[in-house]
């Protein structure tokens, strides 16, 4: 079944650790996105990608990096986790042009101690 | 770039009443306007959308209206039920895409 998958779903980690949040989609979509969202609050765009080898910065990009080596895979890396990174991270994807409805993954809840 | 404002931030209604959430956008190039519902602990999911060549769209108890001249669009939920309680996000898509800040809707039984 076409869907968006995120792993891990929950992560507790200490300050200063490097972490990578995984996102993969079987939707056949070109465009992918990462959002940070505190529960029930505003969606903040971190990074997005138009396709393979394309990465663009969003509003909260300064403390993380992304890569897009394969169409279906869009991992997000925090080089040095801090308590301020505690939040939910949502991955999404859409077709490249036209009806750009975004479909969201289930999210990763991150707690940095 | 696009800027989307959403009001109100919280909305409480009695079961059976109607709920209206309004959004305004700034970029006249925006031509597609989806609405998402996010239940507690779950991912945002598309519930209805509208394109710039249409003024209104309805799907059962949910409707969306668009006024391109005024650059605003609204979500209307009629005969609200407790399961409509969630956070609702509007979005405007054109050369850019932006979400509104969200509206927390509570339907009291």
């Amino acid at each position: 079944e076409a869907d968006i998958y995120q792993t891990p779903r929950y992560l507790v980690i200490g300050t200063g650790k490097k972490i990578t949040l995984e996102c993969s989609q079987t939707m056949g979509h070109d465009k992918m996105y990462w959002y940070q969202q505190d529960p029930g609050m505003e969606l903040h765009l971190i990074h997005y990608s138009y396709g393979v080898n394309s990465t663009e910065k969003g509003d909260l990009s300064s403390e993380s990096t992304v890569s897009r080596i394969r169409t279906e895979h869009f991992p997000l890396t925090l080089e040095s986790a801090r308590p301020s990174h505690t939040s939910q991270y949502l991955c999404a994807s859409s077709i490249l042009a036209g009806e750009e409805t975004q479909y969201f993954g289930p999210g990763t809840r991150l707690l940095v101690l | 770039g696009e800027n989307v404002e959403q009001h109100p931030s919280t909305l409480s209604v009695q079961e059976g009443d109607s709920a209206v959430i309004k959004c305004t956008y700034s970029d006249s190039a925006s031509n597609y306007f989806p609405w998402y519902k996010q239940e507690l602990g779950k991912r945002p999911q598309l519930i209805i959308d509208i394109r710039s060549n249409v003024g209104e769209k309805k799907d059962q108890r949910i409707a969306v209206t668009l006024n391109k001249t005024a650059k605003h669009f609204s979500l209307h939920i009629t005969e609200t039920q407790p399961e409509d309680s969630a956070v609702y996000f509007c979005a405007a898509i054109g050369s850019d895409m932006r979400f509104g800040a969200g509206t927390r809707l509570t339907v009291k039984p």
Side-chain angles (χ1 to χ4, degrees):
Chain A
E1 181 180 340
D3 205 348
I4 302 174
Y5 304 92
Q6 290 187 240
T7 58
R9 293 294 311 280
Y10 304 91
L11 180 61
V12 181
I13 201 163
T15 296
K17 298 292 185 183
K18 178 179 179 179
I19 58 171
T20 296
L21 307 184
E22 301 288 347
C23 176
S24 60
Q25 51 97 2
T26 56
M27 309 283 284
H29 289 164
D30 291 303
K31 207 167 177 181
M32 295 186 74
Y33 313 76
W34 275 105
Y35 292 91
Q36 181 180 347
Q37 185 193 34
D38 291 331
M41 304 298 285
E42 191 170 356
L43 292 155
H44 296 283
L45 182 65
I46 310 172
H47 292 278
Y48 59 102
S49 166
Y50 290 104
V52 172
N53 294 326
S54 157
T55 60
E56 304 289 341
K57 295 182 184 297
D59 303 324
L60 292 180
S61 59
S62 62
E63 300 176 353
S64 60
T65 59
V66 290
S67 62
R68 190 88 183 275
I69 298 172
R70 302 198 322 260
T71 299
E72 61 273 16
H73 194 215
F74 191 41
L76 174 73
T77 297
L78 295 176
E79 293 294 333
S80 179
R82 298 206 302 267
S84 61
H85 292 139
T86 294
S87 189
Q88 175 172 246
Y89 292 82
L90 289 165
C91 179
S93 70
S94 70
I95 65 173
L96 185 58
E99 179 185 309
E100 288 193 27
T101 302
Q102 292 187 17
Y103 297 89
F104 287 86
T108 293
R109 292 184 185 274
L110 174 64
L111 173 61
V112 183
L113 302 175
Chain B
E2 179 63 274
N3 183 47
V4 176
E5 294 190 1
Q6 183 171 345
H7 300 280
S9 57
T10 60
L11 179 60
S12 182
V13 299
Q14 286 295 134
E15 182 176 0
D17 287 350
S18 295
V20 181
I21 302 169
K22 299 181 180 180
C23 288
T24 60
Y25 62 99
S26 60
D27 187 354
S28 56
S30 290
N31 55 14
Y32 177 61
F33 307 91
W35 285 88
Y36 291 82
K37 175 184 181 183
Q38 186 177 27
E39 297 178 24
L40 186 63
K42 297 189 176 181
R43 69 183 87 181
Q45 292 196 304
L46 179 73
I47 54 171
I48 195 167
D49 56 12
I50 192 167
R51 301 183 184 282
S52 59
N53 58 349
V54 176
E56 183 175 357
K57 183 177 179 180
K58 191 173 182 180
D59 182 3
Q60 298 183 336
R61 296 186 298 108
I62 294 173
V64 58
T65 58
L66 171 65
N67 183 328
K68 278 199 67 180
T69 303
K71 295 196 187 75
H72 66 71
F73 56 111
S74 301
L75 177 71
H76 305 253
I77 306 174
T78 58
E79 301 172 26
T80 54
Q81 301 168 2
E83 52 265 37
D84 294 330
S85 295
V87 179
Y88 292 81
F89 294 95
C90 64
I93 301 171
S95 55
D96 192 3
M97 174 173 181
R98 288 290 174 185
F99 282 92
T103 296
R104 184 178 300 276
L105 173 64
T106 302
V107 180
K108 299 176 185 177

